[in-house]
Amino acid sequence: MNIFIQSCHAALEFDQAIMFGMMGHCVAGNFDVGSKQRPKIVGVTDISHDVQDAYVSADVIVLHQCEDYSNVFRQCCAKMGQRPVILSYFGQGCSVQHTHVASTLMSVPNAYVVCYSRKEERMFKALGVPDRKYRMIRFGKLIDDYRLHGGWNGVLPVAYMTCNSVERRGDGCGWPLLKSLMDTQLPVMLSGKETETLKRGIGELDYEGIKSMYRNCRCFVSLGTQPAPLVLTQIEAMVTGCPVIVYDNGCGIVDEGLPVVIARTEVELDCIVTQVLGDYSLAVSLSKKADTQVVAEFNMGNVAARWEAFMETMK
């Protein structure tokens, strides 16, 4: 099939383009060719097409949660006729948009959703959307790519964090808590755009640099991003084998059933991070305990099979 990815997420477009290509599909999209977050796939993500091309030649459109996505979703469905439009849900939006999407799913035959979280799966069920119109499918990752050089080893006794423009984005990315953590004695390292001027900040890393940090840090710490129940960096750290400690920001991570350590208060977060940093055997135990579930949920081969099975129901 010809699959067009209408993208607003440079990291996700990279993973999806690889996955659909592995599945034997031809992939194009309005890709972010200027982004340096991921390497470019020659002939695929290094070329950006207009969505108008998709309306002519695509068999399926995969739409990201772009700005005004609930309206764009309905418009794409109308333009595609009977051909499927799959909205890729990854934790964004408000109740008005969710309700609008649910209405589209129930009234438009070629409208479908793939959501990345249990939270969204429960939401669409509560909104009365038929099961055949949506699936919960996690993001697929090339696990071997993250486990180069033996995968996680934890040799650096630091807690690694990464978030772009975290100070400017403020409360939604946990900036007040992060600032407080940086004022402690905890050995925290923070990467991302606009972090080089911050205490413990090391600036933006390229794809290989980020993977190296996941492999070598003792643990990965995430404060989450509102309103998403989980974020891509948590997934990437998990598939590397790195122990992941997540602060419960109230957006749903506790109900995802993932093999991460949850901290519900700032004090608890400080205590858990301190304990893992000081006990390498504990870090190793957390890594091993999580591995089977992580591979089952996020390995790209497994995720591709779930996408293929869902797309078969649309024929």
Side-chain angles (χ1 to χ4, degrees), residues 77-126:
C77 290
K79 294 279 190 179
M80 287 290 283
Q82 296 182 340
R83 293 166 292 165
V85 177
I86 307 171
L87 177 56
S88 183
Y89 241 77
F90 45 79
Q92 304 306 306
C94 64
S95 59
V96 172
Q97 290 173 304
H98 302 325
T99 302
H100 189 196
V101 168
S103 174
T104 299
L105 289 169
M106 290 186 282
S107 62
V108 178
N110 63 327
Y112 300 90
V113 159
V114 167
C115 47
Y116 84 142
S117 71
R118 302 289 180 196
K119 175 183 177 180
E120 293 162 333
E121 181 183 42
R122 290 189 293 267
M123 176 187 72
F124 284 118
K125 185 176 183 64

Side-chain angles (χ1 to χ4, degrees), residues 166-231:
V166 60
E167 183 177 19
R168 179 162 53 83
R169 292 164 71 187
D171 290 357
C173 292
W175 168 244
L177 177 53
L178 176 56
K179 188 174 184 298
S180 179
L181 280 176
M182 289 178 168
D183 288 335
T184 69
Q185 296 302 308
L186 285 174
V188 174
M189 290 182 67
L190 171 69
S191 75
K193 294 178 181 178
E194 301 176 27
T195 62
E196 58 274 7
T197 60
L198 302 178
K199 185 187 296 186
R200 320 288 178 84
I202 58 175
E204 184 179 13
L205 300 179
D206 63 14
Y207 184 49
E208 294 302 323
I210 290 174
K211 289 190 296 179
S212 178
M213 284 303 304
Y214 289 143
R215 289 194 302 268
N216 292 294
C217 68
R218 182 66 49 83
C219 62
F220 181 76
V221 178
S222 175
L223 306 182
T225 301
Q226 299 176 13
L230 67 154
V231 295

Side-chain angles (χ1 to χ4, degrees), residues 14-295:
F14 174 76
D15 291 330
Q16 288 181 333
I18 290 175
M19 181 184 71
F20 291 134
M22 287 172 49
M23 293 161 66
H25 303 302
C26 295
V27 182
N30 64 329
F31 299 127
D32 186 355
V33 297
S35 171
K36 301 186 186 306
Q37 291 187 43
R38 294 293 183 272
K40 299 305 172 188
I41 305 169
V42 177
V44 184
T45 59
D46 60 346
I47 305 169
S48 185
H49 299 268
D50 192 284
V51 71
Q52 299 298 324
D53 299 336
Y55 300 147
V56 175
S57 58
D59 298 304
V60 176
I61 287 181
V62 174
L63 171 67
H64 289 182
Q65 280 188 290
C66 57
E67 186 177 358
D68 198 28
Y69 69 87
S70 62
N71 285 317
V72 174
F73 184 37
R74 187 174 283 265
Q75 292 162 9
C76 282
C77 290
K79 294 279 190 179
M80 287 290 283
Q82 296 182 340
R83 293 166 292 165
V85 177
I86 307 171
L87 177 56
S88 183
Y89 241 77
F90 45 79
Q92 304 306 306
C94 64
S95 59
V96 172
Q97 290 173 304
H98 302 325
T99 302
H100 189 196
V101 168
S103 174
T104 299
L105 289 169
M106 290 186 282
S107 62
V108 178
N110 63 327
Y112 300 90
V113 159
V114 167
C115 47
Y116 84 142
S117 71
R118 302 289 180 196
K119 175 183 177 180
E120 293 162 333
E121 181 183 42
R122 290 189 293 267
M123 176 187 72
F124 284 118
K125 185 176 183 64
L127 288 169
V129 178
D131 291 348
R132 63 183 179 82
K133 298 303 294 285
Y134 66 95
R135 288 288 188 281
M136 198 293 291
I137 304 176
R138 301 292 194 192
F139 287 167
K141 306 298 292 185
L142 286 173
I143 291 183
D144 288 347
D145 190 33
Y146 285 85
R147 297 189 179 184
L148 293 173
H149 313 297
W152 176 79
N153 56 63
V155 295
L156 294 179
V158 299
Y160 176 51
M161 309 175 74
T162 183
C163 185
N164 290 325
S165 311
V166 60
E167 183 177 19
R168 179 162 53 83
R169 292 164 71 187
D171 290 357
C173 292
W175 168 244
L177 177 53
L178 176 56
K179 188 174 184 298
S180 179
L181 280 176
M182 289 178 168
D183 288 335
T184 69
Q185 296 302 308
L186 285 174
V188 174
M189 290 182 67
L190 171 69
S191 75
K193 294 178 181 178
E194 301 176 27
T195 62
E196 58 274 7
T197 60
L198 302 178
K199 185 187 296 186
R200 320 288 178 84
I202 58 175
E204 184 179 13
L205 300 179
D206 63 14
Y207 184 49
E208 294 302 323
I210 290 174
K211 289 190 296 179
S212 178
M213 284 303 304
Y214 289 143
R215 289 194 302 268
N216 292 294
C217 68
R218 182 66 49 83
C219 62
F220 181 76
V221 178
S222 175
L223 306 182
T225 301
Q226 299 176 13
L230 67 154
V231 295
L232 187 64
T233 54
Q234 295 165 358
I235 296 168
E236 291 176 340
M238 279 190 278
V239 301
T240 306
C242 180
V244 176
I245 302 167
V246 180
Y247 176 72
D248 176 15
N249 64 358
C251 292
I253 185 65
V254 296
D255 298 316
E256 289 299 315
L258 294 171
V260 298
V261 182
I262 304 290
R264 290 173 171 79
T265 66
E266 183 177 346
V267 171
E268 188 176 17
L269 180 64
D270 188 295
C271 288
I272 293 171
V273 174
T274 299
Q275 186 177 11
V276 174
L277 288 174
D279 187 344
Y280 183 71
S281 64
L282 173 60
V284 171
S285 175
L286 291 171
S287 175
K288 290 181 177 179
K289 184 178 179 181
D291 191 64
T292 300
Q293 182 182 349
V294 166
V295 172

